[in-house]
């Protein structure tokens, strides 16, 4: 039996355009840019991180933030979650409510956005409270709300 609609096409229909951020070390007690939003607003329909190198066994509260270009203040996209000792294969995501803690799992599965998030032109970043070793790769899907809006890995 042939497949008329491929997996990438189904993902595009359901979630929008996919952008991948190559694995990178955790930012050191700061915010590191994951994605850059240009040309206007986008609706983020999913964002998932996968730990590729074990995260150091030390306290480190992490969260996702949006930093608009031009005027405006940094906005939390999630509350913090403790990343202490999260092993390779662990997954990270958010619910879409800024007050909810980031969601993590040991790799079996993770819930993702129940509420899509509108992000203005600027940066989507990972904020860390400490300096820990470890690396995470990220995938994000989005739908442009403004004509010409797009997302690229930072």
């Amino acid at each position: 039996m042939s497949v008329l609609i491929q997996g990438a096409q189904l993902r595009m229909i359901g979630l929008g355009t996919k952008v991948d951020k190559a694995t990178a070390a955790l930012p050191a007690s700061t915010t590191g840019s994951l994605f850059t939003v240009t040309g206007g607003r986008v609706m983020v329909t999913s964002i998932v991180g996968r730990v590729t190198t074990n995260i150091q066994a030390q306290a480190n509260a992490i969260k996702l933030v949006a930093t608009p270009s031009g005027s405006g203040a940094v906005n939390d996209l999630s509350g913090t979650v403790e990343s202490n000792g999260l092993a390779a294969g662990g997954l990270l995501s958010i619910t879409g409510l800024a007050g909810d803690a980031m969601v993590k799992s040991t790799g079996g599965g993770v819930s993702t956005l129940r509420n899509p998030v509108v992000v203005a032109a600027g940066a989507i970043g990972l904020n860390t409270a400490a300096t820990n070793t470890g690396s995470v790769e990220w995938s994000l899907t989005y739908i442009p709300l403004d004509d010409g809006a797009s997302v690229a890995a930072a």
Side-chain angles (χ1 to χ4, degrees):
M1 177 176 204
S2 64
V3 177
L4 298 177
I5 299 176
Q6 301 300 311
Q9 295 168 317
L10 289 171
R11 182 181 57 240
M12 174 71 85
I13 292 167
L15 297 171
T17 302
K18 181 182 179 208
V19 181
D20 293 317
K21 165 79 172 170
T23 192
L26 295 176
S29 302
T30 188
T31 298
S33 290
L34 301 175
F35 299 98
T36 303
V37 179
T38 57
R41 300 167 299 161
V42 299
M43 181 170 56
V44 176
T45 57
S46 73
I47 185 166
V48 177
R50 185 175 69 85
V51 177
T52 56
T53 302
N54 293 349
I55 295 176
Q56 182 179 354
Q58 159 183 290
N60 189 11
I62 62 173
K63 64 182 175 181
L64 291 178
V65 297
T67 305
S69 54
S71 62
V74 175
N75 291 283
D76 290 347
L77 296 179
S78 72
T80 62
V81 70
E82 182 53 58
S83 65
N84 183 340
L86 190 56
L91 299 172
L92 299 161
S93 189
I94 61 174
T95 67
L97 296 175
D100 286 357
M102 182 182 276
V103 182
K104 73 175 180 179
S105 82
T106 57
V110 69
S111 62
T112 188
L113 291 171
R114 291 188 296 261
N115 305 293
V117 177
V118 175
V119 178
I124 296 172
L126 178 66
N127 178 270
T128 62
T131 300
N132 284 28
T133 58
S135 295
V136 180
E137 65 183 6
W138 293 88
S139 295
L140 174 144
T141 57
Y142 74 96
I143 298 169
L145 286 184
D146 294 320
D147 292 340
S150 65
V151 178

